[in-house]
Amino acid sequence: MIDDDAVLTRTEGRAGHLTLNRPRALNALTHPMVTRIAEALTAWERDPAVQAVVIGGAGERGLCAGGDIRMIHRDVTAGGGAASRAFWRDEYTLNARIARYPKPYVALMDGIVMGGGVGVSAHGSVRIVTERSRVAMPETTIGFVPDVGGTYLLSRAPGELGTHLALTGASVGAADALLCGLADHVVPSELLPALTRDLGADPVPDVLPRYAVDAPAGTLDGQREWIDHCYAADTVEEIVDRLMAVGEPAAKETAETLLAKSPTALKVTLAAVRGARALDSLERVLEQEYRASCAALARPDFVEGVRAQVIDKDRRPRWAPAALAEVTDAQVAGFFAPPADGDLRLADAP
């Protein structure tokens, strides 16, 4: 049961504040939380006294670890997934709304920011990471596919960096988040309280220069050569072959990481990222992601992946199919067919 304080709202001066407040669950998102965020954004959009919105997470571990996977797992196994589809409809609508919000939307991406946490932060107009930030879309580990607009963001990262992050689910720190277009500014975590205080008194462009610092060194820029070469391949099988053959220890480790993921999720994710590159808006990509998410509910790998990683925690998923070669093109295409209960339509909304 989610209590009424799972999202705290308050105004201080010129800023409206949203605090995700489930620290014991690493602020994992639920449907009521998404509804509450949307209601607050509506109220503040109409309130001339609120000039900016700031979102952060309670506790010391991070902004948000993603959607509440345990709840989705229970819904799929007991209820067929109808509640999860309704949750995603509202969540993805919120993701698109954040990207179009008419006032500055400041996301404090401190600590762990994964999955749904990326959705409520990385589409904002001002995205702040810290030396503690770990940003990721780790869905292939649980037999799922990056969503909440993640394939939109990653498809627009330089070269093939986004493909690498989407398939591996690897987390990145501050510098690599900036490089990949997932964040805009670095602020030391110890300065976030002061920055938050100042946002209540002064406009966002006046406050940021007081606190932003240069990003520390990252890792992805130095790996661009083998990443861009390997992930330019047309299939996941060829990507793995290139990673094994390129002669870089990090590339070989990456190949081994991929081979432990859901083969179906890997192939669908590659198709989703490539498809997102060809789509002209976040809304179109979210519509594509909704199809893939709904399809994943009806496949065995999602339930099995959550069991292995979250429920039983044995870290030994039994994927079906178990090998990349056994996943057919027709199976992948099925993830992009309209769901039985209808598409999500955002791009045509007024």
Side-chain angles (χ1 to χ4, degrees), residues 62 83 124 133 181 202-203 282 290 321 335:
S133 295
D202 298 314
L282 171 62
Y290 181 74
F335 277 75

Side-chain angles (χ1 to χ4, degrees), residues 15 53 168:
V53 172
T168 63

Side-chain angles (χ1 to χ4, degrees), residues 88 144 289-299 334-337 339:
W88 287 329
F144 199 58
E289 291 178 348
Y290 181 74
R291 290 185 172 191
S293 296
C294 291
L297 293 182
R299 306 307 199 277
F335 277 75
F336 301 97

Side-chain angles (χ1 to χ4, degrees), residues 18 57 90 99 111 119 132 152 185 191 201 209 234 262 269 274 304:
L18 294 162
D90 286 348
R132 299 167 4 111
Y152 177 87
H185 307 279
L191 299 182
D234 291 333
S262 159
T269 295
R274 298 277 165 84
E304 173 62 10

